[in-house]
Amino acid sequence: SPMKATSTSEAVATASATGDAATVGHELIVTKLAKGASVTTDALGSATDKTSLATQFAGAAGALPADPATTFTVNLNGTDITVDKTKSVYDFVSAVNKADVGVKAAYDATLDRVFFNSTTSGASAKVDFSANTVGTDGYNFLKNGLKLADDGAKITAGATGQNAAFTLDGVGLEQTSNTFTIAGVSYTLKAEGTTTVGVTTDIDQTVENVKAFIKEYNSMLEAVNTEVKETRYKDFLPLTSEQRADMSEDDIKLWEEKAKSGMLRNDSILSNLVSGMRNNFTDRVSGVAGKYNSAAAIGITTGDYSENGKLYLDEAKLKKALQEDPDAVSQIFGSSGDTTSEDGIANRLYDTLKTAMDKIDAKAGVVRGSADTQSSMYKELKDYNTRIDTLTDRLADLEDRYYKQFDAMETALNQLNSQATWLQQQMGTSS
């Protein structure tokens, strides 16, 4: 349910809306803009040599502690920041920015000034040097080095930010930023003044959303249908090691493409998924009143039977439905009820896809970072391996038995030959 917001005076404020916004107008009167805190030094009067603070402020009396001291601290927003006079002004700026005190500092060499700006806006934003006691090295550096003279109270009072102040639909409100969201409408304040913000259904964006959904849906459906319809080449069995040794790499690749083709042809889980998804769109949403209670009623239809549920969109019909009922799409897709017939298409699709995913999980397993031990394919493979082991043991036993029988047969034959030789000898002697 995309919504759009328009402002009658974008010089005062611009606005955008989410699906949670109500289609009503809002009167906005801006009396103050939110701002952050900032302190800018006077021109430092720096020396040409800015290699270090010591060389840069060589002519500024009292700006830095006397030797041999090289470091001191400056307190900013309640946090002590170490300053090293042997380092440059850029190092000092970097130390401020790394201190994470809600202030970003910058030094402009052309203007020869240091700029301190709060990282947030609103009344809580601040640039506060007041904890630097008069006479301390930190105070002297701020006053004599950075030229934060007390006549402007830049040290003792610092600076604070300001909240945005406005009246929205007759109610006085404040925000710490000039950009905020109230009741599904995001406002960006630009200047003091009055404007009216109107919120309406964004029909064009709704149509684009539906078109994008249908494109993704058809892409996924085509991927599933490709697997279900893929040709199965039953004569191309997995290659043995001996067969691979006699084939080139290209021949092996072509063979395996044929061998793997059609592995999911007419798979019952995927076939039922395609059929279920088609029914999700063709069945009426009984929980929605009025004439716009089905996908077809708003221009979303499936192709003929041979296209297996491919979706088509009649944009003119969809726009007409949205003009008459801005909630038509959100109700047909997003409704929920106690039964499937009362559920919108999105909820039906979720249930249909979840059922198919659970079946795939139960059959083939899903990689979740641990070994699959529950799927039916795992159990089937485990059973095959067990049977292979059992048959291998039986083959070994049978082979051992045959060897023993052969040995016994050879022994018997040797005995028979020996007896035959003895009989021949006896018969020859007798004659």
Side-chain angles (χ1 to χ4, degrees):
S1 297
M3 310 295 284
K4 63 181 178 180
T6 56
S7 172
T8 57
S9 178
E10 294 195 345
V12 173
T14 58
S16 61
T18 68
D20 295 327
T23 54
V24 296
H26 301 283
E27 184 184 45
L28 177 67
I29 303 172
V30 181
T31 54
K32 277 187 199 177
L33 291 178
K35 64 180 184 179
S38 63
V39 170
T40 302
T41 69
D42 293 339
L44 306 185
S46 301
T48 303
D49 186 356
K50 297 182 176 63
T51 305
S52 66
L53 293 175
T55 59
Q56 184 173 354
F57 296 137
L64 300 171
D67 294 335
T70 58
T71 63
F72 57 95
T73 60
V74 168
N75 190 284
L76 175 56
N77 284 356
T79 298
D80 286 334
I81 299 171
T82 299
V83 184
D84 189 335
K85 69 180 186 180
T86 66
K87 301 287 183 69
S88 72
V89 67
Y90 299 103
D91 292 313
F92 165 69
V93 166
S94 178
V96 171
N97 294 336
K98 291 179 180 178
D100 192 25
V101 293
V103 173
K104 288 295 182 182
Y107 172 67
D108 188 302
T110 302
L111 299 176
D112 196 26
R113 295 171 184 264
V114 179
F115 298 85
F116 298 92
N117 294 285
S118 63
T119 55
T120 60
S121 61
S124 61
K126 62 181 180 179
V127 178
D128 181 12
F129 296 106
S130 62
N132 295 279
T133 306
V134 175
T136 61
D137 291 334
Y139 181 92
N140 293 335
F141 174 68
L142 293 172
K143 181 178 180 180
N144 303 319
L146 299 187
K147 300 296 191 294
L148 290 178
D150 253 345
D151 55 0
K154 292 180 180 178
I155 299 177
T156 56
T160 57
Q162 172 180 285
N163 285 344
F166 55 93
T167 300
L168 181 63
D169 297 334
V171 179
L173 299 169
E174 289 190 1
Q175 292 285 336
T176 59
S177 170
N178 288 316
T179 299
F180 51 87
T181 300
I182 297 177
V185 180
S186 295
Y187 301 88
T188 299
L189 306 186
K190 299 294 186 65
E192 296 177 4
T194 301
T195 185
T196 298
V197 174
V199 180
T200 58
T201 301
D202 192 342
I203 293 178
D204 291 336
Q205 186 59 52
T206 301
V207 172
E208 290 303 312
N209 290 349
V210 173
K211 287 168 64 177
F213 168 80
I214 289 176
K215 181 181 178 180
E216 294 295 333
Y217 178 92
N218 285 338
S219 177
M220 188 274 284
L221 186 68
E222 181 181 4
V224 175
N225 282 328
T226 297
E227 296 293 339
V228 174
K229 295 179 178 180
E230 192 175 42
T231 303
R232 182 79 172 114
Y233 299 96
K234 296 183 179 179
D235 294 335
F236 287 78
L237 299 176
L239 294 171
T240 64
S241 299
E242 292 77 9
Q243 289 172 322
R244 285 176 175 272
D246 295 333
M247 297 172 67
S248 67
E249 289 295 325
D250 290 339
D251 289 338
I252 291 174
K253 181 179 179 181
L254 291 173
W255 183 284
E256 289 188 339
E257 287 178 357
K258 294 283 189 180
K260 294 177 181 179
S261 176
M263 296 294 288
L264 294 173
R265 182 176 178 82
N266 295 327
D267 179 80
S268 61
I269 296 176
L270 297 183
S271 297
N272 289 335
L273 171 61
V274 171
S275 176
M277 290 168 62
R278 181 187 177 95
N279 292 335
N280 292 157
F281 280 91
T282 56
D283 294 343
R284 182 176 66 87
V285 182
S286 62
V288 176
K291 64 180 181 179
Y292 297 117
N293 56 14
S294 68
I298 59 173
I300 303 173
T301 56
T302 58
D304 60 42
Y305 186 81
S306 64
E307 293 180 295
N308 294 313
K310 183 177 180 180
L311 296 181
Y312 291 89
L313 175 64
D314 183 335
E315 288 190 41
K317 193 171 183 178
L318 175 58
K319 286 183 178 180
K320 182 176 183 295
L322 288 169
Q323 288 167 354
E324 294 181 4
D325 182 359
D327 295 325
V329 169
S330 62
Q331 288 183 343
I332 290 172
F333 275 84
S335 294
S336 60
D338 297 329
T339 63
T340 301
S341 66
E342 294 176 341
D343 282 338
I345 293 172
N347 289 319
R348 293 176 182 178
L349 281 174
Y350 178 89
D351 292 339
T352 300
L353 290 166
K354 182 66 167 59
T355 298
M357 289 168 62
D358 289 343
K359 288 181 178 179
I360 292 172
D361 192 351
K363 183 175 182 179
V366 176
V367 177
R368 294 194 181 97
S370 59
D372 170 32
T373 60
Q374 301 299 321
S375 72
S376 59
M377 290 186 73
Y378 166 80
K379 294 174 182 177
E380 189 174 358
L381 287 171
K382 183 178 180 182
D383 180 60
Y384 281 140
N385 287 329
T386 301
R387 290 167 62 186
I388 288 172
D389 292 340
T390 301
L391 290 172
T392 301
D393 292 340
R394 288 179 60 188
L395 181 62
D397 293 340
L398 185 61
E399 182 183 44
D400 185 56
R401 180 161 62 86
Y402 282 155
Y403 275 125
K404 289 180 180 178
Q405 289 178 346
F406 183 79
D407 290 341
M409 181 181 68
E410 282 196 323
T411 300
L413 286 173
N414 288 333
Q415 291 177 348
L416 181 60
N417 289 333
S418 178
Q419 290 176 355
T421 301
W422 180 81
L423 288 173
Q424 288 176 351
Q425 290 175 351
Q426 294 300 319
M427 291 174 68
T429 302
S430 173
S431 63

